């Protein structure tokens, strides 16, 4: 069923609270608390949505568990940016059909970007009838009502909206980390890069009001959070459509004033909207980390044009120079797509040329994945998989030695590392420098959440090795 879009308000939040209480009362009566597990695919936006699902489930009297085998309630928070993420979900759902036979009370819920595609919903209705609850990206706050409806009706509940309603503030959230947190500053995307499904499944761009963001960050700081990650598909266009005229640079300056917060990160920046004002704000604000993720996607101007990226290779490289001139020790990371329709050897060379000139500290590299409904899916000259794979390997051969070289330059220096967790070797912990480089050093779990001075003694391509000083 595609529901009409009713605008949720804070009254709506109260309504969901009532459903939460009803479900909690049901769960309180059970001999054993039902256990839940959330399996999250995709980006940080999804990871943050899962924290909200987690918060709501706990308030409803469910208990978390780490293994699907033990779970009575399983949620897949899905991604559809590339096909393999979708295939994984279908594969897992096949397996869950058998698991549900062993535990007939098991409930399976699906949500997230993949569910915003009508063909996916059709497939689930036809082939995956063991799924109990399906919802999309615009109505996660309705989870309590959907669970309640499913219990009451004893039949599957599908609730997919095709556009957003108002932004619902103050959902209960359980943060994965005590000392760091993500904060949505905006939702959706208006850019329509021709390969990308996100604008179709996350809707139009809308920004949260600065006072709501500031209040959330202040509350996080009061709760012991040291590092915040400001999240949006394109943070550089933050503020459009808000009553108050405010830019992302101004928002950064305001967040920088909040006592208790020690590190500020943000994701993702679109090169076409990156302003001088933002570069100055980054340089001025002490708490804003010296790292920027600035996807360039492709080096060929012809490909960039057909990707609808609205900048050129030259403009991108100029930006990189400008950023480095203002913030000399900044780390720049990027996203690159190989195998976009019509890509030639020469185009790949242009991409590699950007890699060599920009000298990235890290790159997420992807093989183009055809997404039905996007303009690129209809373009001629789709690149054969074998060719894309070959070019992908060539790209990595250009990216990795530079990353290694930049890491090597850090050996001998001391950096502040925010410790995240215990490493695979239990004698070591891992953490991030301000420029977001991963560091391993000897230490125990008590250090998690602390900012420690670490002298770098050695490095690999993807991490540094050091010792506490
Ligand atoms: N195929 C491959 N990679 C993609 N991305 C987005 N859409 C696609 C696609 N269809 C990549 C882009 C983006 C990152 C989040 O995912 O590089 O920056
Ligand atoms: Fe997709 Fe482009 Fe929007 Fe990023 S900016 S989410 S790549 S459409």
């Amino acid at each position: 069923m595609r529901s009409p879009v009713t605008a949720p308000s804070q009254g709506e939040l109260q309504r969901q609270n009532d459903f939460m209480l009803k479900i909690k009362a049901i769960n309180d009566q059970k001999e054993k608390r039902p256990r839940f597990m959330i399996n999250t695919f995709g980006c940080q936006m999804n990871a943050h949505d899962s924290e909200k699902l987690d918060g709501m489930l706990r308030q409803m009297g469910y208990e978390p568990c780490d293994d699907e085998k033990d779970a009575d309630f399983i949620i897949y928070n899905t991604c559809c940016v590339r096909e393999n993420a979708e295939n994984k979900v279908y594969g897992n759902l096949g397996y869950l059909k058998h698991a549900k036979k062993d535990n007939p009370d098991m409930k399976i819920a699906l949500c997230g970007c993949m569910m915003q595609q009508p063909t996916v919903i059709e497939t689930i209705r036809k082939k995956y009838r063991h799924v109990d609850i399906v919802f999309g990206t615009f109505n996660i706050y309705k989870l309590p009502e959907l669970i309640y409806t499913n219990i009451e009706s004893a039949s599957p509940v599908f609730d997919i909206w095709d556009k957003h309603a108002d932004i619902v503030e103050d959902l209960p959230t359980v943060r994965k980390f005590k000392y760091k947190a993500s904060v949505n500053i905006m939702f959706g995307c208006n850019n329509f890069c021709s390969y990308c499904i996100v604008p179709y499944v996350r809707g139009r761009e809308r920004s949260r009001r600065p006072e709501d963001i500031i209040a959330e960050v202040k509350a996080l700081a009061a709760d012991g959070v040291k590092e915040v990650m400001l999240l949006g598909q394109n943070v550089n266009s933050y503020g459009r459509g808000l009553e108050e005229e405010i830019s992302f640079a101004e928002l950064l300056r305001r967040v920088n004033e909040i006592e208790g917060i020690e590190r500020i990160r943000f994701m993702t920046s679109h090169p076409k909207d990156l302003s001088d004002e933002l570069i100055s704000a980054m340089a001025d604000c002490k708490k804003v980390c010296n790292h920027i993720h600035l996807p360039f996607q492709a080096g060929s101007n012809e490909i960039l044009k057909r990707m609808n990226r609205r900048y050129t290779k030259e403009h991108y490289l100029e930006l990189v120079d400008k950023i480095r001139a203002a913030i000399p020790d900044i780390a720049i990371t990027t996203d690159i797509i190989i195998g976009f329709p019509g890509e030639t050897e020469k185009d790949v060379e242009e991409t590699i040329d950007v890699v060599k000139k920009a000298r990235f500290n890290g790159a997420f590299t992807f093989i183009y994945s055809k997404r039905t409904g996007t303009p690129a899916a209809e373009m001629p000259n789709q690149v054969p998989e074998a060719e894309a794979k070959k070019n992908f390997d060539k790209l990595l051969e250009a990216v990795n030695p530079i990353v290694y070289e930049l890491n090597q330059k850090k050996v001998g220096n001391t950096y502040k590392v925010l410790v995240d967790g215990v490493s695979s070797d239990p004698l070591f912990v891992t953490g991030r420098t301000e420029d977001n480089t991963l560091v391993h050093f000897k230490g125990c779990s008590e250090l998690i959440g602390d900012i420690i001075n670490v002298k770098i003694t050695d490095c690999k391509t993807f991490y540094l090795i050091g010792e506490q000083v």
Side-chain angles (χ1 to χ4, degrees), residues 249 252-253 256 266 275-292 322-330:
L252 268 189
R253 288 185 191 274
N256 193 57
F266 56 88
S275 63
D276 291 348
E277 190 201 355
L278 175 63
I279 297 174
S280 308
M282 286 183 74
D284 291 347
C285 295
K286 284 222 163 51
K287 297 175 184 174
V288 175
C289 289
N290 53 343
H291 170 228
I292 187 160
K322 240 196 251 178
I323 296 168
R324 288 235 166 89
I327 312 156
D329 61 351
I330 195 160

Side-chain angles (χ1 to χ4, degrees), residues 81-82 195-196 295 297 335-337 366-369 371:
V81 167
R82 284 167 293 274
Y195 51 80
C196 184
Q297 314 295 4
D335 291 344
I336 309 171
I337 298 176
F366 306 105
I367 290 186
Y368 167 74
S369 171
R371 306 287 57 212

Side-chain angles (χ1 to χ4, degrees), residues 189 191-193 195-196 198-199 233 270 309:
C189 181
N191 289 314
F192 289 95
C193 300
Y195 51 80
C196 184
V198 168
Q233 304 295 349
H270 193 304
R309 290 291 290 178

Side-chain angles (χ1 to χ4, degrees), residues 23 26 58 111 157 216 316 376 416 428:
I23 296 163
I26 295 171
R58 287 180 206 229
C111 67
V157 177
E216 182 174 340
Y316 185 89
K416 287 191 181 334
F428 281 72

